[in-house]
Amino acid sequence: MKPAPFTYQRPSTLAQALTAYAAAPDAKVLAGGQSLIPLLSMRLASIEQLIDINGIDELSSITVDESGVRFGATVRHSELLSHPEVAKVQPLIPAALHHVAHPTIRNRGTTCGSIVHADASGEMPTVFALLDGVLTVQSTRGTRQLSTADLFIGALETSLEHDEIATEVFLPALPVNRGVAFDEIARRHGDYALVGVGAIVGIDDNNSITSVRAGYVSVSEVPAAIDLTEAFPGGVLSDEALAAAGELALTHLEPEADIHATIHYREQLVRVLTKRVVTAAYADAVARRKSSREESS
Amino acid sequence: MTTKSIGEPIKRVEDARLVTGKGRYSDDLMPGALEMAVLRSPLAHAKIISIDIDPVLDVPGVHAVYTYDDLEGPLAEPLPLLIPHPDLTHGRTQYALANGEVNYMGEAVAVVVADNRYIAEDAVNRIVVEYEALPVVVGVDGARKADNLVHEDVPGNVAARMEQGFGDVKKALKKAPNKLTLDLKIERSAASPMEGRGTVARWDQDLKRLSLWSSTQTSTGVRAAVASKLGLDLGQVDLITPDVGGGFGVKIMHPWPEELLVPLAAMNLGKPVKFTEDRREHFISSAHERGQEQHIEVGFDDEGRILGLDFQFWHDHGAYTPYGLIVPIITSTQFLGPYKLPAYHVVFESLYTNTVIVTPYRGAGRPQAVFAMERTMDAIAKHLGMDRAVVRQNNFIQPEEFPYAHGDLNFQDGRPLVYDSGNYPELMEKAKNLVGWGEYEAFRDEAKAEGRKVGIGIACYVEGTGVGPYEGGHVRIETNGKVKVATGLTSQGQGHETAFAQIVADELGAKFEDVEIVTGDTRRMPYSVGTFASRAAVMSGSAIALASRKAREKVLRLAADALEVSEDDLEINDSVVSVKGAPETKIELGTLAVLSNPLRYAFDEASKAATQFAVGDPTKPPIPDGEEPGLEGKDFYSPMRSTFASGIHAVIVETDPETAEISILKYAVVHDCGTLINPMIVEGQIHGGVAQGVGGALYERMEYDENGQLQNASFMDFLIPYVTEVPTKIDIDHQVTPSPLNPLGIKGAGEAGVIPTAAAFAAAIEDAEGITITSMPISPSELYDLRLRDSSAVDERTQA
Ligand SMILES: Cc1cc2nc3c(=O)[nH]c(=O)nc-3n(C[C@H](O)[C@H](O)[C@H](O)COP(=O)(O)OP(=O)(O)OC[C@H]3O[C@@H](n4cnc5c(N)ncnc54)[C@H](O)[C@@H]3O)c2cc1C
């Protein structure tokens, strides 16, 4: 379990990194290495050059304002998870990050790297899709801003060109009268989810549901966000509506069997988690509305 | 007065070293040594048409490439069949490197030795092998069908068929008022120690001596195998066991191909060579265990007492049988557990499949046996509508019946299956109290009212521990008062440095802190068997106790002489010998060591005191007749037969009505391993065993596909439970029925935690779900499928 030979560079500015990357057709960017290094060590992938972006200061910041959370390509999962402002502006981020692997891996792995790795069984690509995030990618040719639809084009496949480095992720803030929740079922604590679900539920002043969107982990080829509002006629959160939401979600998903779960079981988890997570997100919306009213009065 | 050390929960002295990263494992040794990588078969069954090593020869940094054609003499013969048995009529073992055919994915085909492992792996990838794929046999089913054969010359894929029993089972079954049939299955798992295999070798051309370090459970076994395969005298080979990062049985298997090829390369190249197995290699080229299918026919009376039982099982032993029939023999005998059967018949077939070999893994055939017997007990209880504990109690061997012989059955040591001591009814009372068996009904009803599903399970076992043939102990008191103790079996983290030192402290009267234990170093103790079968405390503990007693006798002889008193008047406390009632008349152990070794030359203060002009009666020879210089004791312990530990596990689980997730609400263990040397260590063994048992019951399995490809050869997909998956609290109660077979009354404790776990979980899940559980391990996905099948079966029933 040792990688095949490659050369290694650790540029200290983005400009240097972009130049080096453009010049090396068979290169890869090294962020946290929590996905890439195992692939190289097991010789499931081999490359000629590794361009380590961890020495680039300009990629390491987190900025939070009313519009949302903006973070650079070397920001670790654990940094976002422990950032107090992030939780306030977009509580879905920490809710999901809690389910990403274990502390040691979160200390190294980057959230941007996870999104770019585009694994539909990763939590953060789904969060990116669910929140309509924006990814900034740069090359010596210029800068592009990618939305979910532009970014995820296939299983573990993105639209990044061979010379493009992702530099920044933007995840918008949670609007008022919205609540969020995230939950998943994994074989062991911290494992990749058998199924994971995140939801954003919008309500009106009567606590009636106005919108329901859910994102799904491990049951689709590309990270999936689905609008489930139509399952809640009259904005009522009922057992029937929740069940209908699960069935509606399943029409958009493609659960597959593997050694840990059958298709039937994954379908059941989609139903159960849709119910649980939408219910929790609704309760979160109600609680947020209540506490914001209390704050303003 | 010193306090007794045995029985005290003394903190493990090795832990400071091991938990602060100061352990020295095989890969830490000899930095800069050349490293070996192995080319392993990607196919489960194939003929090797050709191997082209030319592309490797010019790779810079490569020192040697070996294939089967490079092996000579005994090394070119198949690897040893370690434990032959008359019923093993078709035993087969692999070659150190494949000889024209591979029989499992992972079998070693060629090795490369290079400057480092990176280059060695690069080179391995350049070797070109042409295979001709052969049909693959996977699983008990595939083996029994025998449409294809693993070995052309082994009909039906059957390596062995073994039959034992006592009483007239046919008659008993015919006459029994109640009868049941069960078909059960246990899947493959593996020991999966944190550290894989590893071997380092250095050949000293000047001394003509091979120094070998291996991550093994048997120092003397590896040494003997290497000497015989490489044509060396035993005396030319030293095997030193470094810290070993876990074994759990897999490292009692030996010699691994690499254990022979590393020293071969070191001798050929005249340079130190190292092999460190990686995780993927461990999955596909070490050993697995547990896979069995079982069929039981049982007849019983209206109180649930078994009148006769017929047990058939099929044991999947993988591609070869280097460890003989040990695992299925254990299953076939330990099946009987704490129960008294008037008539028993067992027959098993040990079957070839194109998968990794099966050799003992902690529990070694017992988890399967206990699963079979305890499922039977539960089935009887259900059939009769009786309490599950009562059915068991009605079948228990009673305390006054020891020693208890199970007919004329033979155990894995080839000796009669005779239990030495125990008290099973009392164990059951303790277990019921600990888990709250009496209050459980009320708890379940309460939970049910809340829409929750809970279930309780109980499982009993008896474990034959401390099998022979022998172990030795050597105790030497140095002039500085340190007590150096050696035993030949090895340590993989069990706490031997602590537990054995406690024995020496008590038996010799030495200060615990002055005792230093060395295990698994053939330079210090060349006679030994190994660490397996929960035998270290029983075997080496007893041997060390006997050796300490011999050293003590000599201490008292010398002290009596020096202090001019009778030996009977002396006592030894905290490394000081003194006259009873006159503690100021005393002499230290270190001083006696000085006196024991009369010297001509002085090189320090201590030795000055021992020179010829300083000590001794000039009218006698410096060393009296019949004595030896030095203050040492050496002895061996060789028991008539195994000693039998016992215990009961009880578990309460909750299953999620929607997701079928299984969580553990309570886990209780009562355990009898005779005298407890160190209760903290015993409890640690139980905790670890239960954790491994939880893995075996709910998480771990080897997923082979129909082509014999192992689908989950990594810790990402082979699910060892994390600390988050094992119970945060395990309730433990001890019972002590000392063994009459050894000087301290010890029984083994190392494997017990893992033995009844799958059986207990199966029972608890069955209780929670009302669905019969016949196969373990079980995942939430499988439980969900069982629910679907059960409800459609119910639908069919109601429609009909
Ligand atoms: C044991 C274990 C458990 C895990 N469990 C989970 C889990 O439960 N959920 C989960 O979501 N993840 C899990 N992960 C993965 C972890 O979250 C990774 O950190 C993440 O997937 C990738 O982030 P990274 O920074 O480590 O990326 P790297 O491994 O460094 O890179 C991953 C890929 O993305 C590319 N890349 C990275 N950054 C950039 C960039 N800025 N521009 C262009 N390309 C880039 C790399 O070239 C590479 O191809 C686990 C990992 C391990 C080892």
Side-chain angles (χ1 to χ4, degrees):
Chain A
M1 252 188 231
K2 304 286 182 211
F6 54 79
T7 59
Y8 171 85
Q9 289 186 56
R10 188 181 162 97
S12 54
T13 67
L14 181 59
Q16 285 169 359
L18 293 175
T19 310
Y21 203 36
D26 191 16
K28 279 251 179 225
V29 168
L30 176 70
Q34 298 302 294
S35 296
L36 183 56
I37 298 294
L39 288 171
L40 294 177
S41 293
M42 295 201 259
R43 296 189 183 226
L44 297 171
S46 77
I47 51 164
E48 269 167 23
Q49 279 199 43
L50 198 57
I51 300 186
D52 182 347
I53 58 170
N54 289 285
I56 304 172
D57 281 348
E58 57 210 282
L59 297 180
S60 64
S61 65
I62 304 176
T63 46
V64 185
D65 60 26
E66 281 158 19
S67 67
V69 179
R70 208 172 281 281
F71 53 92
T74 62
V75 169
R76 315 287 159 187
H77 295 307
S78 59
E79 289 176 84
L80 277 182
L81 185 54
S82 61
H83 197 293
E85 297 304 314
V86 169
K88 276 188 204 150
V89 168
Q90 183 44 273
L92 188 63
I93 298 175
L97 278 172
H98 271 296
H99 294 278
V100 176
H102 312 101
T104 44
I105 286 149
R106 294 198 294 260
N107 286 342
R108 287 300 304 168
T110 66
T111 307
C112 177
S114 175
I115 291 166
V116 176
H117 193 54
D119 187 345
S121 46
E123 289 77 6
M124 298 319 282
T126 292
V127 166
F128 182 83
L130 181 56
L131 293 178
D132 283 326
V134 179
L135 181 75
T136 305
V137 300
Q138 294 188 40
S139 68
T140 49
R141 297 174 291 119
T143 300
R144 296 196 295 152
Q145 310 257 306
L146 303 177
S147 69
T148 302
D150 312 324
L151 178 63
F152 299 127
I153 58 174
L156 290 165
E157 203 185 341
T158 67
S159 60
L160 263 67
E161 299 287 339
H162 77 87
D163 58 348
E164 284 179 322
I165 295 179
T167 52
E168 188 178 86
V169 179
F170 173 72
L171 297 175
L174 187 68
V176 289
N177 287 349
R178 296 276 204 300
V180 298
F182 195 102
D183 199 5
E184 68 178 40
I185 288 173
R187 284 296 275 118
R188 298 170 299 183
H189 195 91
D191 279 358
Y192 281 102
L194 295 176
V195 176
V197 181
I200 309 178
V201 172
I203 54 172
D204 63 16
D205 289 346
N206 302 317
N207 289 345
S208 251
I209 292 175
T210 56
S211 66
V212 177
R213 253 165 75 79
Y216 289 83
V217 179
S218 297
V219 273
S220 56
E221 194 158 87
V222 295
I226 304 170
D227 194 319
L228 300 176
T229 314
E230 66 181 78
F232 297 85
V236 181
L237 186 90
S238 63
D239 288 348
E240 295 73 42
L242 289 166
E247 298 306 331
L248 176 60
L250 281 171
T251 63
H252 293 269
L253 300 169
E254 300 129 11
E256 284 183 10
D258 63 16
I259 60 174
H260 303 301
T262 59
I263 293 178
H264 286 318
Y265 184 60
R266 281 211 163 82
E267 288 172 345
Q268 169 72 356
L269 295 186
V270 166
R271 290 185 202 106
V272 174
L273 285 174
T274 301
K275 180 180 76 176
R276 291 182 186 175
V277 172
V278 170
T279 304
Y282 175 77
D284 185 54
V286 172
R288 279 175 199 282
R289 211 174 67 80
K290 191 166 166 231
S291 71
S292 73
R293 266 212 322 250
E294 278 162 9
E295 265 166 45
S296 55
S297 65
Chain B
M1 250 328 278
T2 40
T3 48
K4 248 178 93 83
S5 185
I6 291 177
E8 290 303 308
I10 295 176
K11 281 204 179 145
R12 304 186 351 150
V13 295
E14 46 272 84
D15 283 349
R17 182 178 87 250
L18 296 177
V19 304
T20 57
K22 298 201 176 75
R24 300 274 292 161
Y25 302 89
S26 67
D27 193 46
D28 297 321
L29 308 173
M30 213 78 74
L34 302 180
E35 293 199 70
M36 180 177 280
V38 185
L39 175 67
R40 301 188 182 281
S41 169
L43 299 177
H45 198 190
K47 283 215 149 50
I48 297 176
I49 307 297
S50 65
I51 305 178
D52 182 5
I53 59 165
D54 284 352
V56 180
L57 298 175
D58 60 347
V59 175
V62 169
H63 294 255
V65 186
Y66 301 139
T67 65
Y68 176 77
D69 291 342
D70 298 295
L71 308 181
E72 287 169 5
L75 202 51
E77 287 160 21
L79 296 178
L81 201 163
L82 291 172
I83 310 179
H85 189 285
D87 290 335
L88 182 52
T89 50
H90 293 77
R92 297 287 180 276
T93 58
Q94 73 184 81
Y95 292 86
L97 291 168
N99 177 14
E101 182 173 331
V102 286
N103 279 301
Y104 63 92
M105 162 197 170
E107 186 163 350
V109 173
V111 292
V112 173
V113 181
D115 282 345
N116 58 51
R117 176 77 184 219
Y118 292 83
I119 297 172
E121 287 191 20
D122 294 344
V124 155
N125 280 344
R126 289 171 170 235
I127 299 175
V128 182
V129 185
E130 194 190 329
Y131 295 100
E132 180 191 313
L134 294 170
V136 173
V137 179
V138 178
V140 165
D141 243 15
R144 284 183 68 190
K145 266 192 215 126
D147 294 340
N148 301 306
L149 296 180
V150 175
H151 302 286
E152 264 170 32
D153 56 349
V154 179
N157 292 312
V158 180
R161 185 173 185 283
M162 184 173 170
E163 200 167 355
Q164 286 204 77
F166 52 82
D168 190 341
V169 173
K170 278 211 181 96
K171 200 165 133 202
L173 284 176
K174 204 178 256 169
K175 285 173 71 182
N178 308 288
K179 253 173 285 183
L180 282 172
T181 302
L182 289 87
D183 286 288
L184 305 169
K185 185 173 174 179
I186 289 252
E187 298 204 32
R188 261 191 193 216
S189 184
S192 312
M194 253 206 280
E195 184 206 20
R197 299 179 289 119
T199 300
V200 186
R202 185 177 61 200
W203 171 251
D204 188 319
Q205 182 62 27
D206 298 329
L207 294 175
K208 299 275 185 289
R209 212 176 166 84
L210 183 69
S211 300
L212 200 62
W213 292 260
S214 204
S215 187
T216 182
Q217 292 176 226
T218 172
S219 54
T220 48
V222 176
R223 179 195 195 208
V226 167
S228 114
K229 284 288 187 187
L230 298 188
L232 296 167
D233 299 339
L234 203 55
Q236 284 179 284
V237 183
D238 296 321
L239 192 296
I240 304 140
T241 320
D243 282 323
V244 173
F248 309 112
V250 64
K251 294 175 186 172
I252 193 62
M253 199 14 240
H254 69 283
W256 296 100
E258 298 86 350
E259 276 175 327
L260 303 172
L261 298 170
V262 165
L264 174 78
M267 290 177 71
N268 285 350
L269 298 169
K271 292 196 173 122
V273 177
K274 181 190 290 192
F275 166 73
T276 305
E277 181 187 58
D278 69 28
R279 185 54 54 187
R280 184 175 159 75
E281 291 184 289
H282 190 77
F283 276 106
I284 62 171
S285 69
S286 289
H288 301 164
E289 210 223 285
R290 304 274 197 260
Q292 280 182 4
E293 292 189 14
Q294 306 164 328
H295 176 81
I296 294 154
E297 286 175 37
V298 60
F300 48 98
D301 68 15
D302 294 336
E303 266 76 59
R305 267 186 290 267
I306 293 178
L307 302 171
L309 192 148
D310 191 87
F311 182 28
Q312 268 182 77
F313 69 97
W314 296 267
H315 175 77
D316 169 0
H317 64 234
Y320 301 101
T321 54
Y323 214 77
L325 296 176
I326 291 300
V327 174
I329 289 177
I330 293 176
T331 304
S332 67
T333 47
Q334 298 264 266
F335 172 81
L336 294 165
Y339 309 115
K340 197 164 49 176
L341 268 59
Y344 174 57
H345 170 253
V346 58
V347 56
F348 69 78
E349 284 180 353
S350 199
L351 301 167
Y352 285 105
T353 57
N354 289 114
T355 58
V356 167
I357 56 167
V358 164
T359 66
Y361 154 36
R362 196 180 198 175
R366 295 178 188 86
Q368 301 93 311
V370 170
F371 178 67
M373 177 55 102
E374 297 299 298
R375 290 281 67 207
T376 305
M377 287 289 163
D378 287 340
I380 292 172
K382 191 170 168 195
H383 183 84
L384 297 174
M386 283 177 68
D387 182 295
R388 289 172 284 166
V390 172
V391 168
R392 288 169 167 84
Q393 281 158 328
N394 289 350
N395 283 285
F396 276 160
I397 297 163
Q398 296 302 308
E400 62 279 6
E401 293 176 292
F402 290 95
Y404 183 85
H406 285 288
D408 52 1
L409 284 197
N410 274 335
F411 191 45
Q412 62 150 321
D413 49 6
R415 306 252 160 164
L417 183 66
V418 180
Y419 292 179
D420 51 335
S421 65
N423 185 340
Y424 309 140
E426 186 191 279
L427 264 185
M428 181 57 94
E429 283 316 310
K430 281 175 182 265
K432 284 163 74 174
N433 286 336
L434 200 60
V435 77
W437 189 260
E439 303 88 69
Y440 173 72
E441 290 289 324
F443 169 70
R444 178 172 48 195
D445 293 346
E446 218 171 276
K448 207 170 177 182
E450 295 165 13
R452 296 166 59 201
K453 290 182 161 197
V454 297
I456 194 167
I458 198 159
C460 311
Y461 67 91
V462 169
E463 183 198 357
T465 69
V467 300
Y470 72 88
E471 286 297 332
H474 181 254
V475 173
R476 187 175 69 229
I477 300 164
E478 297 209 339
T479 55
N480 60 7
K482 293 253 170 69
V483 184
K484 305 274 182 176
V485 181
T487 189
L489 56 65
T490 62
S491 299
Q492 300 90 47
Q494 295 93 335
H496 296 155
E497 288 172 46
T498 309
F500 293 161
Q502 286 177 262
I503 293 172
V504 177
D506 277 8
E507 293 290 340
L508 182 60
K511 270 193 219 142
F512 174 79
E513 299 75 28
D514 286 345
V515 183
E516 181 196 286
I517 306 288
V518 167
T519 55
D521 183 340
T522 60
R523 298 169 306 178
R524 295 281 301 275
M525 176 53 80
Y527 296 102
S528 170
V529 184
T531 302
F532 56 93
S534 302
R535 71 192 290 281
V538 177
M539 301 302 299
S540 279
S542 297
I544 286 171
L546 297 174
S548 300
R549 288 176 190 178
K550 282 205 173 156
R552 183 189 173 95
E553 285 167 20
K554 184 158 186 187
V555 164
L556 291 177
R557 272 199 310 277
L558 283 169
D561 218 29
L563 299 175
E564 297 180 333
V565 292
S566 149
E567 285 175 35
D568 297 341
D569 295 334
L570 293 172
E571 60 185 7
I572 318 177
N573 293 311
D574 281 338
S575 295
V576 177
V577 190
S578 61
V579 175
K580 289 177 195 160
E584 63 288 351
T585 312
K586 62 178 182 188
I587 187 162
E588 297 197 5
L589 288 185
T591 314
L592 289 167
V594 173
L595 298 179
S596 74
N597 183 18
L599 294 173
R600 187 170 179 86
Y601 310 115
F603 37 83
D604 61 13
E605 282 307 312
S607 49
K608 206 151 78 182
T611 47
Q612 53 197 347
F613 298 104
V615 286
D617 179 343
T619 66
K620 290 184 191 156
I623 296 188
D625 274 355
E627 291 281 9
E628 290 175 7
L631 195 42
E632 303 188 3
K634 180 165 138 184
D635 210 344
F636 291 85
Y637 170 68
S638 180
M640 275 303 288
R641 53 178 183 268
S642 300
T643 168
F644 289 80
S646 54
I648 300 178
H649 288 200
V651 60
I652 301 179
V653 301
E654 175 159 7
T655 56
D656 187 299
E658 291 180 321
T659 64
E661 288 167 287
I662 301 154
S663 46
I664 304 166
L665 301 185
K666 193 174 177 68
Y667 203 101
V669 175
V670 290
H671 181 247
D672 184 348
C673 61
T675 307
L676 296 163
I677 303 168
N678 183 327
M680 194 191 282
I681 288 180
V682 171
E683 287 180 12
Q685 287 292 326
I686 291 172
H687 292 160
V690 169
Q692 228 161 8
V694 168
L698 303 179
Y699 295 96
E700 301 164 4
R701 75 182 68 203
M702 291 296 162
E703 289 281 357
Y704 275 104
D705 70 9
E706 68 279 9
N707 298 317
Q709 295 288 316
L710 187 58
Q711 303 291 289
N712 59 338
S714 87
F715 278 160
M716 190 164 149
D717 285 315
F718 179 82
L719 309 176
I720 290 187
Y722 303 129
V723 69
T724 38
E725 278 63 54
V726 297
T728 41
K729 187 163 156 281
I730 298 169
D731 297 316
I732 298 177
D733 197 1
H734 298 286
Q735 181 190 65
V736 179
T737 60
S739 171
L741 301 178
N742 62 66
L744 301 175
I746 308 167
K747 300 175 180 182
E751 295 168 276
V754 82
I755 290 173
T757 330
F761 274 106
I765 294 166
E766 177 169 302
D767 187 41
E769 296 284 329
I771 301 173
T772 309
I773 304 293
T774 58
S775 176
M776 290 296 270
I778 186 166
S779 69
S781 180
E782 285 166 320
L783 179 56
Y784 180 72
D785 275 359
L786 284 181
R787 283 180 185 172
L788 289 183
R789 251 184 277 159
D790 189 62
S791 65
S792 63
V794 170
D795 287 349
E796 275 169 33
R797 280 200 295 273
T798 47
Q799 275 165 18

